[in-house]
Amino acid sequence: MTIAVSPQALPALVLNADYRPLSYYPLSLWSWQDAIKAVFLDRVNIIAEYDHSVSSPTFSMRLPSVVSLKTFVQPTRNPAFTRFNVFLRDKFECQYCGSHDDLTFDHVIPRAHGGETTWENVVAACSPCNLKKGSKLPRQAGMFPAQKPYQPTVQDLHNNGRLFPPNYLHESWMDYLYWDTELQP
């Protein structure tokens, strides 16, 4: 699964004040219009620019390709419990068969058996596996998730998000993405 980014749109990568992306998935990008507005409102520093410029009768400016916020935005400690974040935690694959298609989510302990809708009881599942398991317990269905469901940290989701880069990454962004990858000699 990739996020579609159009290189013709000239988006700006948005970094926090510590020069880390606000998010990896979806990648924190602003339209060039929003980036310019933030520059004029003095909310960001321009780190890198495109070769493309915009002009008015009295002003010309190269479009920012990377900006950093002037004020640090404290990342949340616990990610929101959403369908998307469950899929991201489970790397967009069915926890029963490994399929990436037709994903939904499954209660490992079904609600009919007292299971709750929590991080620790919900996994990504494809529709066929979800229907096959139904409201049976894992033992009854003979279906066990590949990994035990857990509440991820924001860092867990960032790490998984790095596995699904957008279809387009501008060269000026590369120094600010994937900070913990090994440097080439």
Side-chain angles (χ1 to χ4, degrees), residues 144-160:
F144 300 91
Q147 73 174 359
K148 184 179 179 193
Y150 65 97
Q151 181 172 351
T153 63
V154 170
Q155 189 63 41
D156 292 333
L157 296 183
H158 279 296
N159 290 340
N160 287 355

Side-chain angles (χ1 to χ4, degrees), residues 81 83 86 89-90 96 104-125 129-131 133-138 141 143 145 149:
F81 179 62
R83 181 183 301 261
V86 169
R89 177 200 65 190
D90 294 345
Y96 299 113
T104 182
F105 69 87
D106 177 61
H107 291 80
V108 177
I109 306 299
R111 289 186 292 176
H113 292 273
E116 297 178 355
T117 306
T118 63
W119 282 112
E120 294 78 12
N121 191 45
V122 171
V123 295
C129 284
N130 202 348
L131 287 171
K133 182 174 172 284
S135 62
K136 298 176 195 150
L137 293 168
M143 297 173 70

Side-chain angles (χ1 to χ4, degrees), residues 4-117:
V5 176
S6 169
Q8 294 79 24
L10 301 171
L13 175 65
V14 183
L15 307 175
N16 208 340
D18 65 355
Y19 286 71
R20 295 184 195 200
L22 291 175
S23 72
Y24 284 96
Y25 199 85
L27 191 58
S28 52
L29 299 175
W30 283 350
S31 68
W32 66 266
Q33 295 93 333
D34 288 338
I36 287 177
K37 181 179 178 183
V39 168
F40 279 100
L41 293 173
D42 201 31
R43 293 182 180 156
V44 296
N45 294 311
I46 298 173
I47 307 302
E49 299 171 323
Y50 289 108
D51 290 333
H52 189 79
S53 296
V54 292
S55 301
S56 75
T58 59
F59 182 78
S60 182
M61 175 182 180
R62 287 177 58 186
L63 293 178
S65 64
V66 180
V67 296
S68 70
L69 300 177
K70 288 191 173 189
T71 305
F72 183 76
V73 174
Q74 187 67 41
T76 59
R77 290 183 174 238
N78 298 314
F81 179 62
T82 64
R83 181 183 301 261
F84 181 84
N85 283 343
V86 169
F87 292 165
L88 185 56
R89 177 200 65 190
D90 294 345
K91 299 177 184 169
F92 296 94
E93 74 182 25
C94 174
Q95 292 301 290
Y96 299 113
C97 73
S99 172
H100 295 275
D101 300 322
D102 200 14
L103 288 180
T104 182
F105 69 87
D106 177 61
H107 291 80
V108 177
I109 306 299
R111 289 186 292 176
H113 292 273
E116 297 178 355
T117 306

